[in-house]
Amino acid sequence: MSKRNLLIEIGLEEMPARFIDDSINQLASKVESLLTNQKIAFNEVQSFATPRRLAVLVTDVAERQEDIHEEAKGPARKIALGQDGSWSKAAQGFTRGQGMTVDDIYFKEINGVEYAHVKKFIEGQETAVLLPELKGLITGLTFPKNMRWANEELRYIRPIKWIVAMFGKEVIPFSITGVAASNHSKGHRFLGSEVAISAPENYQDELLDQFVIVDTEKRKQAILSQIENIEDDNGWVIPVDEDLLDEVKNLVEYPTALYGKFEEEFLEIPEEVLITSMKEHQRYFPVKSKDGHLLPYFVTVRNGDHQNLEKVARGNEKVLRARLADAAFFYKEDQKVTIENALAKLKNVVYHEEIGTVAEKTVRVQRLASLISERLGLDAETDTAINRTAEISKFDLVSQMVYEFPELQGIMGEKYALQKGESPIVAKAINEHYMPRNAEDSTPESDTGAVVSIAEKLDTICSFFAIGVVPSGSQDPYALRRQATGIVQTLINKQWSLSLELLIGLSLDLVDESGILKRSNKEVYEDLTHFFGLRIKHLLQEHGIRYDLIDAIIGGGLRNI
């Protein structure tokens, strides 16, 4: 059977970088499913994406569906035939449903009973006749955020500007929002021009001629290679954050890495602030010396070639200078605020309208942390540090720096606490009490940080369960599952002989005293123990523990983790 390659490209206005990977995976999966369900043979599905396009290339697609030879089973002989030997309505209905007649029936014995059967032959259709179904597939893609444009009814991630749909050298005829499918794509917005794709297999090369690298992995590797060259040329170390790299590769079609510099005086700002400002606001990579010190340079990636890189660098330097000047101002202003003044402001910061303020939450956490410390039998010095950490753990939330960079909560708390005379143990624990922040993060190292981390996360979970906010399916807007896993991981790593059921009960009683509960204490407690049981089960499964052992362990209650 002869074969052709299939190419689909959806040309769009620039899409948000964070949505591109999921979108192209969805398109590739749907195209593969369409061909499979239609019984159209193919070899491989390749996906491509840039900020302005989602594309799929399918190689060796059969020109016809497979012919189908199948056997259909019908009613038993005693039902299919009447006493006079005539065909029953059941037999007639069976054959009619199969597109056959009673003359086609034959009987076949299965487990001692004869059943009516017919053999069917369905001739495969031409693939070209079926491919216009791609229109519905394209319009059926789903995105986290959609928009409408002009007077069109279609809601989509961004307005569709062109569509390439080719089966071999033939164009697949359909249109969406007035845009007709063709073999014409568009190159780089400034460096390229419109290009007629001669054949699907030439797609990558012909777009590259128009300064578009359509393969996301090739763009990623190009960026890494260019960054390594800058490292080697200057004797620098450029830490590459994988999440940032994945975002940057989806911001450009033709990447060119370059570097710029900023004033050394900005190095007086904490390193975390500088790196966060570069990464979150400008998508820049920081630069360090061989011994790990931050240098007054940055690396960025332009969407274009090597022309006028000096001007591009100066423009980026100007923008970053303004960002860092803001950060320096915030940092300076934060020095003027005492911890006591910051704590007073927390009384006016609403944590959740049904749960109360951050200050009220802090009081519960402080009391719970004290109860945990008491049951662990920790020494007086550690107990004092736990009490102080829990009391001031959230003071940096009202700082200008954390307001501007929320991801620095805890990190700035540690730095500001040291500057304001708190002990290193307390300062470190303020940062640690947010740990683990994600699946890759470690648990708190100090006992002080671990106790406050458990207390803070447990209060969060119990408070939301108390008002009826319980994770379900994929819905977990407050990351309660992650926080529960963090509690369990911390207990495991610390090897503390604490009953999780006891901790849940202590926290829930404090939440109950606050008047937050919307359901009975017992009902919420049962939901919480079930919730934590599932988290423990998930962790044990990740470690390859047999399911029957897991059920036996959890069946005994959530005591010593």
Side-chain angles (χ1 to χ4, degrees), residues 12-24:
L12 303 149
E13 291 185 5
E14 275 80 355
M15 294 174 282
R18 64 188 184 277
F19 298 154
I20 291 177
D21 287 344
D22 286 343
S23 298
I24 189 55

Side-chain angles (χ1 to χ4, degrees), residues 5-209:
N5 294 331
L6 169 67
L7 174 65
I8 302 296
E9 182 190 57
I10 312 167
L12 303 149
E13 291 185 5
E14 275 80 355
M15 294 174 282
R18 64 188 184 277
F19 298 154
I20 291 177
D21 287 344
D22 286 343
S23 298
I24 189 55
N25 289 339
Q26 183 187 170
L27 176 61
S29 175
K30 285 182 177 292
V31 169
E32 184 172 348
S33 295
L34 173 67
L35 296 175
T36 301
N37 293 338
Q38 290 285 10
K39 294 181 170 52
I40 301 172
F42 62 92
N43 179 27
E44 182 186 15
V45 177
Q46 297 174 276
S47 57
F48 308 100
T50 76
R52 300 175 67 209
R53 73 200 74 226
L54 301 171
V56 168
L57 172 66
V58 189
T59 58
D60 298 334
V61 179
E63 292 193 348
R64 293 180 61 86
Q65 286 179 311
E66 299 170 8
D67 292 336
I68 299 174
H69 297 268
E70 64 181 27
E71 186 178 57
K73 174 188 168 189
R77 176 187 281 272
K78 62 182 179 181
I79 297 174
L81 290 172
Q83 292 182 352
D84 59 355
S86 62
W87 294 108
S88 68
K89 290 185 178 180
Q92 295 173 24
F94 161 63
T95 55
R96 190 165 50 249
Q98 299 298 325
M100 314 292 279
T101 69
V102 290
D103 295 335
D104 299 307
I105 290 179
Y106 62 94
F107 290 98
K108 186 175 177 182
E109 185 176 309
I110 301 175
N111 296 327
V113 179
E114 286 191 299
Y115 290 90
H117 286 75
V118 293
K119 285 184 178 178
K120 295 171 57 179
F121 170 73
I122 303 174
E123 185 178 2
Q125 291 182 272
E126 296 283 343
T127 298
V129 174
L130 301 169
L131 287 179
E133 290 184 28
L134 288 166
K135 173 181 178 177
L137 183 151
I138 293 171
T139 57
L141 294 178
T142 59
F143 308 97
K145 291 186 177 180
N146 292 297
M147 63 179 291
R148 287 176 55 189
W149 61 97
N151 59 349
E152 303 294 344
E153 291 299 318
L154 179 67
R155 296 177 62 84
Y156 220 62
I157 186 170
R158 286 294 184 270
I160 296 174
K161 309 303 287 185
W162 74 89
I163 300 170
V164 175
M166 300 175 66
F167 185 43
K169 295 187 177 183
E170 290 183 22
V171 172
I172 302 166
F174 64 87
S175 64
I176 300 174
T177 62
V179 178
S182 70
N183 67 333
H184 286 264
S185 182
K186 295 185 185 296
H188 188 282
R189 187 178 287 279
F190 305 112
L191 302 175
S193 59
E194 186 172 296
V195 55
I197 306 299
S198 58
E201 56 270 21
N202 299 329
Y203 175 67
Q204 286 194 72
D205 291 338
E206 290 176 346
L207 262 295
L208 184 58
D209 290 341

Side-chain angles (χ1 to χ4, degrees), residues 203-255:
Y203 175 67
Q204 286 194 72
D205 291 338
E206 290 176 346
L207 262 295
L208 184 58
D209 290 341
Q210 300 302 322
F211 300 91
V212 177
I213 301 174
V214 293
D215 189 312
T216 55
E217 192 59 33
K218 287 181 180 178
R219 286 203 307 278
K220 183 175 180 177
Q221 292 306 314
I223 294 168
L224 277 174
S225 177
Q226 292 172 31
I227 288 176
E228 288 170 1
N229 290 338
I230 293 174
E231 275 184 325
D232 295 340
D233 292 345
N234 296 278
W236 294 337
V237 173
I238 303 172
V240 176
D241 181 288
E242 193 66 26
D243 290 338
L244 178 58
L245 178 61
D246 282 335
E247 182 176 9
V248 170
K249 83 175 191 303
N250 286 332
L251 288 170
V252 297
E253 292 194 314
Y254 194 77

Side-chain angles (χ1 to χ4, degrees), residues 377-396:
L378 300 176
D379 58 72
E381 184 180 352
T382 303
D383 187 65
T384 300
I386 288 171
N387 189 63
R388 180 59 175 168
T389 300
E391 180 185 10
I392 68 173
S393 60
K394 302 295 185 185
F395 86 93
D396 63 327

